[in-house]
Amino acid sequence: MTRYIFRRLLQAIPLLFVISLVLFVLMQNMGDPIATMGGRNVTRSADRERLKRQLGLDKPIIVQYLYWLVGNDWTKTDLDGDGVAETPGVRRGVLRGDFGLSLVNKKPVTQVIGERLPNTLLLMLTAEAFILIFALLIGIYSALRQYSTFDNIITTVTFLFYSMPVFFFALVAMYIFAVNFKKWGLPYLPTVGMFEPTAGKTPLQVAWHMVLPTATLSFGFIAGYSRYIRSAMLEALGQDYVRTAKAKGLPRPEIVYIHALKNAALPIVTIIALDLPFLLGGAIVTERIFGWPGMGRLFLDHVSRGDTPVVMGILMMIAVAAVIFQLIADILYAWLDPRIRYT
Amino acid sequence: MNRRQVILDLKDLRTRFHIAEGTVYAVNGVSLTLHECETIAIVGESGCGKSVTMLSVMGLIPVPPGEIVSGQAFYRNRDLLALSEAEMEHIRGKEIAMVFQDPMTALNPVLTIGRQISEPLRVHLNMDRAAAQQRVIELLEQVGIPDPKNRMNDYPHQFSGGMRQRAMLAMALACAPSVLIADEPTTALDVTIQAQIVELVTRLRDALCMAVIWITHDLGVVAGLAERVIVMYAGMVVEEANVDDLYDDPRHPYTLSLLAALPRIDRRRDRRLKSIPGAPPNLLVAPHGCPFAPRCEFAFDRCRIETPPLLPVAIEHRARCWYDVVNGRPFE
């Protein structure tokens, strides 16, 4: 098993190189970072040239990628445009842990991401916990009562929620729980930020501010996952080994939660492992709507300004997470299903 | 012969399935009795209702689409069909155990053999882990699994087909049930393994004084195993007799055809085996007349109109037929 994990990690290295190259090339089409730098003022063309040289944007794309990957401290750059390369580079490259500086605010990428990642993790882990608990409850319950009134209602509601756009749900939720609750004199939910500036960042404040974003993030996933869980459970419950378990006189909970669920868990684990890395990347729409200072908003703000270092940092983090979660899923498989063995 | 106590008494069981295409009349009035320590075989071709009959008794028919329309199943004078689900949980696995056809799918692939065998011990006999483990080893030894101490930690896919069926047997025997229902336990196995399993069940039955209901479509397996044979067709019992009588003196045309289709070592080899013409009946149509009439070479007008009752034709021998195959003319 250790050998298998080691081999899988080794295999991931070339994959990550290819991913990073493709993403880097694609990033060049996201717009000119210099165009947005002057704000409302038009940047003079001489300044544009200088900025381009300073940021290394005058180099061919493959050289830019190389600098991003391994740094440029081994070479000298021509900063003043006189044709003589005299200034030694300071970048150390991603391979040595230097993700560069943000083109927007000159802060190190790791610091920019580091400020936002905990906020996103807080929101995402809470949402994921809600998703799993409710999806399992709803999925198993409606599988056990297939075609009952409850099951039919849940089926309708899940399809409605599953097909509803996130922004629409968010706005409806805001309209009901913030706007109208306030109007009716009920305790209403906040719609923006992590806390009231006047109240300070207390756990209660943050939890209160998380209600709507968490609900917005969860509803679609709960709807989707509960369908998967329902069908996986229905399939498992129809198998011969469930009949055997029943023929042994086992109590119903043991049949459902051990004999059936352990078999049904396999396809569910696949789907969840595939979705998890994207939760790390934050929810662009939800964070934007609720003004949540997380990765999704960070991504949106920086991708619109062509901030290659920050965007690459976020995307590579997601890529690495995808590789790791996939590996975790495969290890979970082996644990859940003894027929699967890795060598 | 049958002075032993009746342990299972099935009366006029009728089971139907309501599916999209209509109603399947799977079991149409089956009655049978099983005595203590007795082995009976239920024989019939696929889809004749033999498995559904026993699954109905065990309460293992999925409802819906299944429905037990009428009937009683007395086990030691308690009607199993009237018991609640909670009461049935104490019967299943403890009083009446069941072995299924395909041990690959009937065993849970993600739980160890040992765990699956120990479950009934824990649930019915309240054994703790250590005691259950000890008993599992004994059981596996009893059914002839070598090195049970290590093999109990294996998963079903690590067992061969024959070993899986032995493990299934160990599981069924865990609580020393009074009745064992074996639903085609040898169908999925090689012929040599089949013989081993039959031999094993015979030995355990004698050792534990267990009543056995052996469901099969293989008349060859039945001969050395059962005391009485029940032949089913289209969800009905068409003939019931002691095993020797059935082979030597079959009274129902269907049984005759079945035996003619069976290769026998004591018959001339150059004789062709006879297949039964026609197809098994469509169970979507409510039974009327004798269900075998369309395929029967002796059928006459009455057979198509009136369903014959199960009539005694000899000592401990009953058949459901209007035609006297011995004398070659209709009864009466």
Side-chain angles (χ1 to χ4, degrees):
Chain A
M1 196 62 166
T2 325
R3 269 191 59 184
Y4 171 77
I5 296 170
F6 189 68
R7 206 180 64 215
R8 280 285 299 270
L9 289 175
L10 275 183
Q11 283 169 349
I13 292 172
L15 178 71
L16 287 173
F17 272 114
V18 174
I19 291 173
S20 70
L21 182 61
V22 171
L23 289 175
F24 200 92
V25 172
L26 288 175
M27 259 317 285
Q28 306 311 307
N29 300 314
M30 291 307 292
D32 181 5
I34 292 168
T36 62
M37 277 183 176
R40 283 171 163 271
N41 307 318
V42 179
T43 318
R44 280 181 301 161
S45 56
D47 292 341
R48 290 179 61 96
E49 290 305 315
R50 191 170 45 81
L51 276 167
K52 264 194 170 168
R53 279 198 304 276
Q54 283 176 358
L55 296 172
L57 299 175
D58 55 335
K59 298 277 193 300
I61 181 148
I62 198 70
V63 175
Q64 287 188 40
Y65 175 71
L66 210 65
Y67 284 0
W68 176 80
L69 193 65
V70 298
N72 61 357
D73 52 359
W74 43 274
T75 177
K76 286 193 169 70
T77 328
D78 173 22
L79 281 188
D80 47 15
D82 57 2
V84 185
E86 66 284 84
T87 321
V90 289
R91 290 168 62 181
R92 303 180 63 235
V94 168
L95 292 182
R96 285 181 284 168
D98 177 12
F99 280 78
L101 300 177
S102 161
L103 300 184
V104 173
N105 53 23
K106 301 287 177 288
K107 282 191 203 164
V109 168
T110 39
Q111 187 196 331
V112 172
I113 293 178
E115 282 167 3
R116 297 297 190 91
L117 191 57
N119 297 342
T120 280
L121 281 180
L122 177 68
L123 187 62
M124 291 304 169
L125 291 180
T126 315
E128 189 64 26
F130 269 106
I131 291 167
L132 288 182
I133 291 167
F134 283 103
L136 278 169
L137 283 176
I138 296 169
I140 294 172
Y141 193 82
S142 50
L144 292 179
R145 289 180 178 57
Q146 193 187 13
Y147 304 138
S148 67
T149 316
F150 173 86
D151 184 36
N152 287 330
I153 292 172
I154 281 294
T155 302
T156 317
V157 172
T158 48
F159 276 118
L160 192 73
F161 274 0
Y162 192 68
S163 51
M164 190 186 282
V166 172
F167 69 89
F168 184 74
F169 182 93
L171 294 178
V172 170
M174 275 183 175
Y175 182 68
I176 296 171
F177 295 106
V179 179
N180 278 322
F181 269 40
K182 191 175 184 180
K183 208 191 281 174
W184 300 330
L186 293 167
Y188 57 95
L189 289 163
T191 58
V192 71
M194 285 181 82
F195 52 89
E196 295 298 334
T198 48
K201 195 177 177 178
T202 60
L204 201 68
Q205 271 289 323
V206 175
W208 190 232
H209 278 74
M210 270 170 65
V211 175
L212 281 183
T214 308
T216 306
L217 272 172
S218 309
F219 82 97
F221 281 105
I222 292 176
Y225 285 4
S226 65
R227 302 308 296 173
Y228 288 122
I229 292 166
R230 177 181 179 272
S231 64
M233 278 302 281
L234 278 177
E235 204 204 314
L237 285 168
Q239 296 293 318
D240 282 358
Y241 52 74
V242 167
R243 191 179 63 185
T244 310
K246 211 175 166 197
K248 280 193 275 189
L250 295 190
R252 188 144 178 84
E254 199 158 329
I255 298 173
V256 172
Y257 296 106
I258 294 172
H259 281 260
L261 188 59
K262 205 173 173 210
N263 281 281
L266 283 165
I268 301 167
V269 165
T270 318
I271 296 158
I272 294 172
L274 282 175
D275 284 345
L276 269 177
F278 296 100
L279 287 183
L280 259 189
I284 290 169
V285 177
T286 309
E287 290 185 0
R288 180 87 185 164
I289 291 176
F290 291 101
W292 188 265
M295 300 280 286
R297 240 176 88 196
L298 181 76
F299 181 83
L300 194 64
D301 290 348
H302 287 255
V303 84
S304 62
R305 296 205 210 160
D307 190 351
T308 309
V310 171
V311 173
M312 282 304 290
I314 296 173
L315 292 177
M316 286 317 290
M317 190 190 75
I318 296 173
V320 170
V323 167
I324 290 172
F325 282 119
Q326 201 51 58
L327 184 58
I328 290 173
D330 286 343
I331 294 166
L332 263 178
Y333 280 168
W335 177 69
L336 284 168
D337 189 344
R339 285 166 296 186
I340 298 171
R341 276 287 162 265
Y342 306 120
T343 42
Chain B
M1 166 183 182
N2 285 329
R3 301 241 171 70
R4 294 169 293 193
Q5 271 210 312
V6 172
I7 192 161
L8 189 68
D9 192 6
L10 201 55
K11 288 197 161 81
D12 194 39
L13 180 78
R14 288 168 195 273
T15 304
R16 290 172 194 168
F17 291 93
H18 304 286
I19 58 169
E21 288 79 14
T23 301
V24 179
Y25 295 84
V27 179
N28 303 304
V30 168
S31 302
L32 59 88
T33 51
L34 177 71
H35 300 83
E36 276 181 338
C37 319
E38 181 190 34
T39 302
I40 64 172
I42 303 182
V43 180
E45 58 198 7
S46 302
C48 72
K50 48 196 196 302
S51 292
V52 175
T53 304
M54 292 331 292
L55 288 171
S56 301
V57 171
M58 290 287 277
L60 294 175
I61 295 288
V63 181
E67 186 197 357
I68 295 172
V69 185
S70 69
Q72 290 142 315
F74 291 101
Y75 169 78
R76 296 192 195 276
N77 299 321
R78 290 169 80 193
D79 183 5
L80 298 179
L81 302 182
L83 291 185
S84 71
E85 186 61 26
E87 288 170 310
M88 267 316 277
E89 276 174 12
H90 293 291
I91 302 277
R92 292 190 202 118
K94 186 168 186 243
E95 308 284 337
I96 308 176
M98 207 160 170
V99 174
F100 294 98
Q101 176 173 350
D102 185 352
M104 183 72 244
T105 57
L107 288 168
N108 195 321
V110 302
L111 301 174
T112 61
I113 297 282
R115 195 210 143 93
Q116 295 188 58
I117 298 175
S118 70
E119 278 172 335
L121 297 170
R122 277 187 10 254
V123 171
H124 297 305
L125 307 178
N126 294 318
M127 282 193 188
D128 59 25
R129 260 181 74 98
Q133 199 157 352
Q134 196 50 46
R135 179 88 180 105
V136 168
I137 295 171
E138 284 169 28
L139 283 163
L140 286 175
E141 213 151 52
Q142 207 174 8
V143 297
I145 303 263
D147 190 19
K149 217 169 204 157
N150 290 316
R151 295 315 294 265
M152 65 182 279
N153 296 318
D154 281 358
Y155 290 91
H157 72 278
Q158 289 161 300
F159 272 36
S160 68
M163 278 165 69
R164 276 183 219 129
Q165 200 53 286
R166 286 167 191 268
M168 276 290 285
L169 263 173
M171 200 159 81
L173 300 179
C175 300
S178 311
V179 179
L180 176 72
I181 301 170
D183 186 359
E184 306 206 29
T186 57
T187 307
L189 304 174
D190 290 344
V191 184
T192 47
I193 311 290
Q194 277 185 19
Q196 289 176 15
I197 296 288
V198 170
E199 205 271 329
L200 178 65
V201 171
T202 320
R203 187 163 55 77
L204 294 170
R205 171 197 67 190
D206 296 342
L208 302 168
C209 186
M210 199 166 46
V212 178
I213 299 178
W214 190 282
I215 302 171
T216 183
H217 58 244
D218 186 350
L219 270 171
V221 171
V222 169
L225 181 79
E227 294 163 50
R228 272 189 315 131
V229 181
I230 288 165
V231 181
M232 277 186 73
Y233 188 81
M236 291 181 197
V237 174
V238 293
E239 185 162 3
E240 183 185 350
N242 291 326
V243 63
D244 295 337
D245 297 341
L246 189 95
Y247 281 85
D248 299 339
D249 184 20
R251 296 301 179 93
H252 195 281
Y254 178 60
T255 318
L256 282 168
S257 318
L258 277 183
L259 289 169
L262 190 72
R264 283 176 72 159
I265 206 155
D266 52 356
R267 286 235 192 93
R268 283 185 51 180
R269 253 198 256 152
D270 52 357
R271 242 184 58 183
R272 281 180 71 95
L273 293 175
K274 269 170 72 180
S275 64
I276 308 177
N282 180 7
L283 295 175
L284 277 165
V285 183
H288 61 96
C290 173
F292 190 60
R295 301 167 78 185
C296 181
E297 53 182 309
F298 307 109
F300 58 103
D301 292 346
R302 193 180 186 184
C303 301
R304 294 179 191 97
I305 302 158
E306 219 177 326
T307 309
L310 196 59
L311 291 171
V313 288
I315 300 160
E316 291 181 343
H317 193 159
R318 297 190 293 167
R320 192 186 284 276
C321 189
W322 294 124
Y323 193 83
D324 187 350
V325 290
V326 177
N327 298 313
R329 57 182 161 80
F331 281 115
E332 287 163 334

